[in-house]
Amino acid sequence: MRRPTDPARPAPPPAGPRLTPAGYAVLGTGVLGCGFGWGLGYTEAVVLGLAALAAVAAALLWTVKVPDVETRREVVPGRVARTDPAYGVVVLANTGSRTLRGLRAEDRVAGRPMLPVDLPPVPPGCEVRARYRLPTDRRGTVDVGPMLLVRGDPLGLARRVRECGDVESLLVRPRTVTLPVLPAGRTHHLEGPTSDTAEDGTLTFHSLREYVLGDDLRRVHWRSSARTGTLMVRRMIDVSLPTTVVVLDSGRAGYTDRESFETAVDAVGSVVEAVARSRFPMRVITSAGLLPLGDNHQDADHILDRLALVDPEEKRGLADALDALERIRGGDTLVVVTGTVLPLPADRLARLRGRFDRLIVVRSGDGRDSVSGVRTVLLDRLDDLVPAWRREAMA
């Protein structure tokens, strides 16, 4: 999620030089020194006042010229996991004939104080780069920009500010850890499912059954029909792979604090990456409903992008996520990720065990509440998930 700068967009006209608070202080000192010195006959005060006024005038002259420079800012990388490093890179090209000194960039970052970036001198015809760290401690979209290019005098009395660069976006995704894939509850055929309840398809021969009105006559198996005296048709099924369904309780009320919620989202992202690494299909459900997965249900990057924008909800909780789960087909593995504040709905989890071959509940936060007969993983931090998940994979 990055909105790159548009080189065709004209830069805003630069503002004129302005005094800094220090400049106004020196200007006031000069005026008072000249006034009192002249009125009271103190030559030293007049000289001090004139020196202060001269310093202010020199500062304004230093910053009056618009620097011949081309500036842009890049955000690298455009996507990053939570707490991983991301940087803003200021690129400065001197198109004039003199070395540029005293330049500084200031960048706005998502409601935080301006980030100052000191820039080295830029010789004529040369390009310099300076980078600075962007905050990645919270998931979501971090807007960066627009950037200000500041030219000041050596004494810090005046400065000229020019806005440059569009707003770019850094997408902070959940932090993940490497997990093994859980084995499916039942053994799957190499070419597809062997269960009698598998959906009809067109890819793989599964068995023979009696003809039903409306069946395609091209599937009639004539030899078996002649041998049994009953019209028999081939049953074809679609290839099937173990399906994992991950449910995230995105209700704020279920978690002790924001960090426990972030750990829960990180756990979901880790499970998603593990399933996608094995190229197995998956579904992800939050309290707001089924998460759109795009065209490829095995694309971890697309799902992590979606998870980056999940926020705690005030009016929804685990019950809403389980309601959405009831409206989809069952699968092989169900992972329910929630907090530890609210008790688990034992009756609903018991019903879900009949629709899935494996059910695991992951609880983020400080708590010990669990449901009898349901595997429960307790997390204080994301790294606790790795050994617990390995035990589940070996079970």
Side-chain angles (χ1 to χ4, degrees), residues 3 12 48 60 107 110 112 145 176-177 208 225 250 257 319 332 351:
R3 287 176 282 172
L48 179 62
L60 293 174
D107 218 350
R112 303 189 180 217
T176 60
V177 292
L208 293 173
S225 299
S250 55
D257 51 26
D332 299 275
R351 293 200 305 268

Side-chain angles (χ1 to χ4, degrees), residues 180-192:
V181 178
L182 295 177
R186 67 169 69 97
T187 302
H188 290 259
H189 192 274
L190 291 178
E191 292 185 318

Side-chain angles (χ1 to χ4, degrees), residues 224-375:
S224 298
S225 299
R227 186 173 60 251
T228 61
T230 304
L231 199 59
M232 304 293 293
V233 296
R234 299 179 183 88
R235 186 182 175 209
M236 312 297 289
I237 55 177
D238 286 334
V239 173
S240 176
L241 293 173
T243 300
T244 300
V245 180
V246 186
V247 175
L248 170 65
D249 175 10
S250 55
R252 186 187 300 273
Y255 298 89
T256 55
D257 51 26
R258 180 61 187 246
E259 188 57 34
S260 64
F261 176 77
E262 293 297 330
T263 301
V265 179
D266 293 346
V268 172
S270 301
V271 175
V272 164
E273 275 198 341
V275 176
R277 191 167 54 250
S278 297
R279 305 184 66 83
F280 289 163
M282 73 185 88
R283 293 184 179 92
V284 180
I285 299 173
T286 69
S287 299
L290 189 64
L291 205 65
L293 303 183
D295 297 332
N296 186 356
H297 287 199
Q298 301 167 349
D299 186 359
D301 284 335
H302 181 84
I303 301 175
L304 289 174
D305 288 349
R306 293 282 184 174
L307 289 174
L309 305 178
V310 172
D311 287 325
E313 301 186 56
E314 296 290 347
K315 298 182 179 180
R316 294 190 177 103
L318 181 58
D320 299 279
L322 296 181
D323 288 342
L325 177 62
E326 298 284 355
R327 295 191 289 269
I328 68 172
R329 292 178 55 199
D332 299 275
T333 301
L334 172 62
V335 181
V336 178
V337 183
T338 182
T340 57
V341 173
L342 302 177
L344 292 172
D347 55 338
R348 302 197 68 175
L349 293 179
R351 293 200 305 268
L352 290 172
R353 285 202 299 269
R355 298 180 54 203
F356 293 86
D357 299 320
R358 182 189 293 262
L359 170 60
I360 300 175
V361 175
V362 178
R363 309 206 68 177
S364 174
D366 184 15
R368 295 295 180 265
D369 180 43
S370 62
V371 175
S372 176
V374 176
R375 296 185 179 93

Side-chain angles (χ1 to χ4, degrees), residues 5-218:
T5 57
D6 183 3
R9 173 189 163 186
R18 295 183 178 180
L19 293 179
T20 64
Y24 281 111
V26 173
L27 177 63
T29 300
V31 172
L32 291 176
C34 290
F36 281 106
W38 183 270
L40 299 176
Y42 289 106
T43 306
E44 294 82 357
V46 174
V47 172
L48 179 62
L50 291 176
L53 295 177
V56 172
L60 293 174
L61 290 175
W62 181 282
T63 56
V64 71
K65 186 179 184 305
V66 178
D68 297 321
V69 62
E70 293 180 356
T71 311
R72 70 179 188 275
R73 182 246 300 105
E74 303 169 354
V75 174
V76 291
R79 291 177 175 85
V80 69
R82 188 168 68 99
T83 71
D84 282 357
Y87 298 94
V89 180
V90 179
V91 183
L92 206 65
N94 186 354
T95 59
S97 57
R98 295 183 179 181
T99 300
L100 294 176
R101 293 182 173 85
L103 294 178
R104 186 180 66 173
E106 295 180 356
D107 218 350
R108 300 183 180 94
V109 180
R112 303 189 180 217
M114 298 288 285
L115 291 177
V117 184
D118 292 325
L119 301 173
V122 190
C126 294
E127 182 180 278
V128 299
R129 292 172 177 260
R131 73 175 189 174
Y132 53 98
R133 183 81 176 259
L134 295 174
T136 59
D137 54 318
R138 296 288 292 271
R139 282 180 308 103
T141 302
V142 179
D143 290 331
V144 183
M147 184 179 68
L148 302 180
L149 182 64
V150 181
R151 185 183 187 186
D153 68 289
L155 298 178
L157 303 182
R159 68 179 203 163
R160 171 186 284 273
V161 179
R162 185 175 74 182
E163 184 178 299
C164 53
D166 294 335
V167 177
E168 299 184 49
S169 293
L170 167 68
L171 185 64
V172 181
R173 307 198 298 191
R175 187 169 71 92
T176 60
V177 292
T178 303
L179 302 176
V181 178
L182 295 177
R186 67 169 69 97
T187 302
H188 290 259
H189 192 274
L190 291 178
E191 292 185 318
T194 58
S195 170
D196 289 336
T197 60
E199 290 189 342
D200 286 339
T202 58
L203 297 179
T204 305
F205 171 75
H206 177 59
S207 61
L208 293 173
R209 61 173 175 80
E210 291 186 8
Y211 174 84
V212 178
L213 185 64
D215 282 342
D216 189 348
L217 292 177
R218 291 174 296 180

